Amino acid sequence: MDRRAFLTTLAGTSLAAITPEAVLAASAAANPAWALAVGDIEADLAPRGLRLIHGRAPKGLAGTLYRNGPAKFRRGPGAPAHWFDGDGLVRAFRIGDGKASLAGKFVDTFKRRQDAKFGALVGPGFAATATAGATVRNSDDSNAANTALLPIGGELLALWEQGSPIALDLETLATKGPKTYAPDLAHMPFLAHPRIEPNGRVWNLGVAGHRALVWTLKADGSLEKTGMLELPRASYIHDFTATARSLVIVLQPWIQDKPVQPFAASMSWRPELGTQVLVVDKNDFSKRRLYDLPAFFAFHLGDAWEEADGTIRFDACTEADASFAARGGSQITALKMPDTQVTRLSFITLDADGKGSLEVTALPAEFPKTDPRFAGHGRMKTMVNTVGGGPAKPFLQGVAVSDWRTGKADVFDFGPDHCAEEHLFAPRPGSSRELDGWLVGTSLNLKARATELHVFDASRVSSGPLCSWRADVPLPVGFHGCWV
Amino acid sequence: MFNRSAHALLAACLLTAIAVVNAPHAEAQEPGEVSVTFSGITAPKGALFVGLYDSEAAFAGGQPAQGYQLAVTGPSVATAIKGLKPGRYAIKVYHDIDGDGRMNTNAFGIPTEPYAASNNAPSTMGPPAWADAVFEVGADGATQTIGID
């Protein structure tokens, strides 16, 4: 087709249909109230103060809540990116002297630069196939750096799943570049959910099919060692957990069994295989146990611990199948209600005699976090997002601390106008008691069209925030962060 | 995302470039010169292993028509390939940074040393394609500037 014929075709069909009235009508009909949660941010956010809208900041609370999440999904004429494929925007919510501020910067990835150059989404992703002509030499060329953050070695590492951590400056959020710990480890995958021992030592996995590279970093951020782990199946592994002694790897039956692109299409949901849990000794990978559980899907797990008799316990936010991962993440950025299940807080017990059990509670829950000082050791409390997630809005709107000892959850509901985001624990200075301190986290207020920052007393969540600040901008709902 | 088949394909097709320095040099029938500049080098050490190919089949995994090993001491390397018959050619190159004579890959088969092709043909989850890398060498020769980083 020559250029003239192409233009004629365009004018005769698609362009003729695009009138301002048609755009407006389609937009009003198609855009749900939660559209802001997957909106696009076009530029970095210069530092700005946040407005105190409620209460007063507790004395002794000072630090920065860093958060990461995709914030640019649309370029050019094609479909929006899958929720997991948007460009990572790192946000710094700084709290001190009773005041709060916000700054944000996109991670300056090869992917983002290439997409900008093409004016289109050209790289491969969780649910995207690479466009012909795009440069994709290795996994870091498609690294969106959009999932989580690890503060270590004086740097902030922006984490994805299939590629290298990308180092950022803690103060300016400026991108330094992909982290290469040794020449032969370049472009190796590094999951977005490292497990951090209370002494600062970091364990992580990098997964490709039936094999996982086990990363161990020292507390100063340098590489301690790596090792290779053979897995019994090529499960989708977004997160894993660990006790003081063992790595605990949930192998759900969403299995890579087709050599096709994109990634999500290479996976099959095989519930008849059940979910397995592989327990591996941190010091000797040949010491391993495999447990069988009923089929479930989970993105996120809580820190695990091991009791004196060898029983391992941990929590997980489980759903019935992989439909959200397979399809929901594309539907959500297309502003359609996703095919999804309610995700619930569950408790997994692995007995020393080889039997495992799964207890699913009634509490809707995602983004589980725990007191990091107890990682790998016995603890009773789990922070989650909760309330909602029903047909009106595919996001949770509350926050809770669930106590495994009492079986009760201390819940606060922000209300239907909010999309709650992950809340993290900030310890009270001088105290070492589990979860004695504050929850610090954010929500997107859809009605006010603004992101809000909240502080709760961790022992009285249902009393509501001790204080809340409001930004002058609505940021799309993000994924994970860290409190520094 | 990369899956295992993409890894294997990429590594297999690029590793054939290792053979280039031992390949027989074509006899020059008629003059034709390609001026090649490799630019954007970030590690000024080791060597570039360069293969010049005269067919799609060879480019996809066969022997190069000519091969060169060029020492790297700075951000760019320039060379001239002389005595070529007029025709269609393509170049593959990798930067052997550590000087071990191999194009290194990580444990999952992803190349860890830079590579590139003529016309700066993209590598889209696999080796560059002949159709993107091919160029004409006429009576006046040809010029290629290939970014490799």
Side-chain angles (χ1 to χ4, degrees):
Chain A
M1 186 184 286
D2 65 21
R3 180 176 161 77
R4 185 185 167 80
F6 174 73
L7 288 173
T8 306
T9 307
L10 204 61
T13 56
S14 54
L15 283 184
I18 303 175
T19 63
E21 294 76 18
V23 167
L24 206 60
S27 163
N31 284 6
W34 48 267
L36 276 178
V38 288
D40 281 353
I41 296 293
E42 299 300 337
D44 293 342
L45 303 168
R48 77 267 321 267
L50 301 185
R51 184 166 63 87
L52 186 70
I53 55 169
H54 166 79
R56 204 163 64 181
K59 276 187 182 169
L61 178 67
T64 301
L65 173 69
Y66 292 101
R67 289 188 43 73
N68 196 356
K72 174 71 176 170
F73 303 98
R74 298 163 190 87
R75 286 184 197 272
H82 186 283
W83 196 24
F84 302 166
D85 291 338
D87 293 336
L89 175 72
V90 174
R91 309 126 205 222
F93 295 88
R94 295 190 163 90
I95 301 175
D97 298 328
K99 295 181 179 166
S101 67
L102 165 67
K105 210 164 247 179
F106 279 99
V107 186
D108 183 18
T109 59
F110 180 90
K111 172 198 181 294
R112 180 170 164 81
R113 274 181 270 133
Q114 173 161 264
D115 284 351
K117 193 174 86 181
F118 277 75
L121 303 168
V122 297
F126 197 85
T129 306
T131 302
T135 294
V136 192
R137 298 157 297 186
N138 55 60
S139 47
D140 283 324
D141 284 348
S142 51
N143 189 338
N146 63 5
T147 311
L149 295 164
L150 174 63
I152 193 165
E155 295 176 318
L156 191 59
L157 303 183
L159 307 182
W160 188 51
E161 186 161 288
Q162 289 279 310
S164 306
I166 298 195
L168 313 179
D169 185 283
L170 272 164
E171 280 304 311
T172 65
L173 307 180
T175 301
K176 298 177 176 181
K179 198 88 183 157
T180 301
Y181 291 93
D184 62 339
L185 294 173
H187 316 306
M188 285 296 280
F190 191 96
L191 291 187
H193 292 283
R195 290 288 158 187
I196 306 168
E197 296 179 354
N199 63 18
R201 193 187 202 201
V202 173
W203 293 85
N204 203 6
L205 303 181
V207 181
H210 284 86
R211 301 171 76 206
L213 183 82
V214 180
W215 297 88
T216 315
L217 305 184
K218 296 178 187 169
D220 67 3
S222 62
L223 181 70
E224 181 175 326
K225 60 181 177 180
T226 59
M228 193 61 77
L229 196 60
E230 298 294 327
L231 303 173
R233 53 167 71 163
S235 285
Y236 175 62
I237 299 177
H238 176 75
D239 192 0
F240 72 107
T241 186
T243 69
R245 192 192 309 175
S246 303
L247 306 176
V248 180
I249 303 168
V250 173
L251 301 164
Q252 51 205 347
W254 200 40
I255 292 173
Q256 189 169 45
D257 57 3
K258 299 184 283 291
V260 298
Q261 296 291 332
F263 178 77
S266 73
M267 313 294 292
S268 299
W269 178 246
R270 305 278 305 277
E272 72 280 7
L273 299 177
T275 290
Q276 293 179 314
V277 184
L278 178 66
V279 177
V280 181
D281 190 307
K282 282 178 175 174
N283 295 317
D284 181 354
F285 293 172
S286 70
K287 289 184 183 161
R288 42 200 282 162
R289 287 175 282 164
L290 193 62
Y291 293 83
D292 287 305
L293 292 173
F296 66 84
F297 184 89
F299 283 109
H300 299 125
L301 313 174
D303 276 312
W305 69 93
E306 192 161 344
E307 295 173 347
D309 67 355
T311 303
I312 291 173
R313 300 185 194 276
F314 61 99
D315 32 30
C317 293
T318 64
E319 50 200 302
D321 61 39
S323 59
F324 185 80
R327 294 180 300 280
S330 296
Q331 293 165 325
I332 219 168
T333 52
L335 307 181
K336 295 184 171 71
M337 274 305 293
D339 299 337
T340 186
Q341 316 283 333
V342 175
T343 304
R344 297 187 188 281
L345 189 62
S346 298
F347 203 54
I348 293 165
T349 303
L350 308 175
D351 292 337
D353 67 3
K355 275 204 298 206
S357 64
L358 168 73
E359 176 198 343
V360 182
T361 75
L363 189 71
E366 247 302 1
F367 298 98
K369 298 302 289 185
T370 55
D371 184 334
R373 300 170 299 178
F374 290 76
H377 300 278
R379 48 99 194 163
M380 282 297 123
K381 295 181 179 179
T382 309
M383 299 168 275
V384 293
N385 290 151
T386 188
V387 186
K393 184 175 72 196
F395 298 92
L396 297 171
Q397 65 190 44
V399 61
V401 170
S402 179
D403 188 324
W404 288 113
R405 188 176 289 122
T406 63
K408 290 182 180 165
D410 183 18
V411 178
F412 179 75
D413 181 359
F414 288 108
D417 294 330
H418 285 251
C419 302
E421 299 184 275
E422 181 186 80
H423 278 56
L424 294 168
F425 175 63
R428 192 185 309 280
S431 171
S432 57
R433 192 158 52 85
E434 186 189 354
L435 229 57
D436 183 16
W438 304 283
L439 307 192
V440 182
T442 48
S443 70
L444 171 62
N445 184 330
L446 298 168
K447 193 172 176 187
R449 301 182 67 82
T451 291
E452 295 179 2
L453 173 65
H454 311 283
V455 178
F456 290 84
D457 183 328
S459 63
R460 291 186 294 123
V461 173
S462 51
S463 302
L466 296 171
C467 67
S468 298
W469 290 275
R470 186 174 290 169
D472 58 356
V473 60
L475 300 176
V477 168
F479 295 143
H480 306 286
C482 57
W483 171 256
V484 178
Chain B
M1 308 255 177
F2 278 71
N3 60 34
R4 280 157 293 147
S5 57
H7 294 166
L9 182 68
L10 186 58
C13 292
L14 286 161
L15 288 171
T16 58
I18 290 169
V20 299
V21 287
N22 298 320
H25 284 215
E27 290 297 319
Q29 299 296 314
E30 292 180 36
E33 179 174 323
V34 183
S35 299
V36 191
T37 303
F38 301 99
S39 63
I41 295 168
T42 52
K45 59 180 183 176
L48 299 180
F49 281 58
V50 182
L52 176 78
Y53 298 83
D54 57 8
S55 75
E56 182 169 4
F59 188 78
Q63 291 294 312
Q66 296 194 28
Y68 302 88
Q69 181 178 352
L70 307 172
V72 176
T73 56
S76 67
V77 174
T79 191
I81 302 174
K82 295 181 181 175
L84 294 177
K85 285 190 290 189
R88 286 154 61 81
Y89 296 88
I91 291 169
K92 279 196 286 196
V93 54
Y94 76 91
H95 183 185
D96 181 27
I97 293 173
D98 63 1
D100 67 354
R102 299 170 50 234
M103 198 183 85
N104 298 336
T105 60
N106 69 23
F108 292 156
I110 300 280
T112 55
E113 290 180 311
Y115 62 92
S118 42
N119 299 342
N120 292 305
S123 172
T124 308
M125 305 196 73
W130 167 263
D132 295 327
V134 68
F135 59 93
E136 293 280 347
V137 177
D140 296 336
T143 301
Q144 283 284 321
T145 300
I146 300 174
I148 178 164
D149 60 2

